[in-house]
Amino acid sequence: MAGPDAQATAQGVAAEAEDGGLGDWTVAVLGDAGRVRPVVAAPAPVLSRAGAEVDPTDPDVVRLAADLVVTMRSSPGCVGLAAPQVGVGARVFAVDVTGHPKAVTVHGTFVLCNAVVVEASRWRPGREGCMSVPDLTGDVKRASRLVVTGQLPGTGHPVRLVADGFEARALQHEIDHCAGLLFLDRVAGAHAIYQRKVYL
């Protein structure tokens, strides 16, 4: 039989498995209120260049992380925003799919640095839009089951996130931004691109 300490340790491991290693991390740990930055639109060159790897504990990266969260939250319907979209060529992005009707897994608001997809499966087509491509949407085939590793800004803590459904799609969309790709680079062809009627 496990004693109290072993039981607490087991609960801690289970909690970390469920939240992907986010633990007690919140945006508040950044210690910066953040500011809204202007979002750049295609064909801005920064959107087609791969971002640089960053030091997640660098004060400039921490400030960028806070700015990404604030800018994302200031835009109705926005569920993710990457550093290249605010003109910074860095591998940093924010995601929050809370409340989205298509969300299966929901890890709340978080920012990842240097994220990498380590597993992708269950590929499904779905419609996507982007603040940097405000007039168009497109059908993109993405993995609906995803495992991503990265680091948390501020702490540098390593994270392994398991995501499904819409959150998995949002993660792939933002990781693509950090690699210099837009959703338009992923569509099957011109027939899969549409004029946006309403921007939510």
Side-chain angles (χ1 to χ4, degrees):
M1 178 182 292
D5 291 344
Q7 185 176 2
T9 300
Q11 289 173 343
V13 170
E16 183 163 318
E18 289 173 7
D19 68 18
L22 288 174
D24 295 327
W25 189 91
T26 66
V27 174
V29 78
L30 298 174
D32 191 312
R35 65 181 174 88
V36 175
R37 296 199 191 192
V39 174
V40 299
V46 69
L47 294 172
S48 58
R49 290 194 298 259
E53 191 166 311
V54 300
D55 174 357
T57 63
D58 184 310
D60 288 339
V61 173
V62 173
R63 191 173 304 112
L64 171 63
D67 292 351
L68 287 172
V69 171
V70 171
T71 305
M72 175 179 67
R73 288 177 171 170
S74 73
S75 307
C78 182
V79 295
L81 191 69
Q85 293 183 271
V86 295
V88 181
R91 291 174 56 194
V92 184
F93 64 83
V95 164
D96 185 2
V97 300
T98 303
H100 194 282
K102 293 183 180 178
V104 179
T105 55
V106 178
H107 286 92
T109 304
F110 61 90
V111 181
L112 287 184
C113 302
N114 309 318
V116 176
V117 174
V118 294
E119 290 179 35
S121 59
R122 303 179 194 166
W123 297 81
R124 303 280 187 274
R127 186 70 58 89
E128 292 185 20
C130 180
M131 289 180 66
S132 293
V133 188
D135 299 322
L136 301 173
T137 63
D139 293 331
V140 182
K141 196 171 186 180
R142 302 269 194 198
S144 61
R145 172 78 170 175
L146 199 72
V147 180
V148 172
T149 60
Q151 297 163 292
L152 294 172
T155 66
H157 184 75
V159 172
R160 181 180 183 274
L161 281 183
V162 179
D164 291 286
F166 188 72
E167 188 174 55
R169 179 171 294 276
L171 281 163
Q172 290 165 92
H173 183 107
E174 302 311 328
I175 289 170
D176 270 0
H177 272 304
C178 293
L181 297 170
L182 297 172
F183 76 86
L184 295 175
D185 299 309
R186 298 285 192 190
V187 297
H191 66 280
I193 300 173
Y194 312 90
Q195 285 290 323
R196 185 190 289 276
K197 296 177 181 177
V198 177
Y199 193 85
L200 297 177

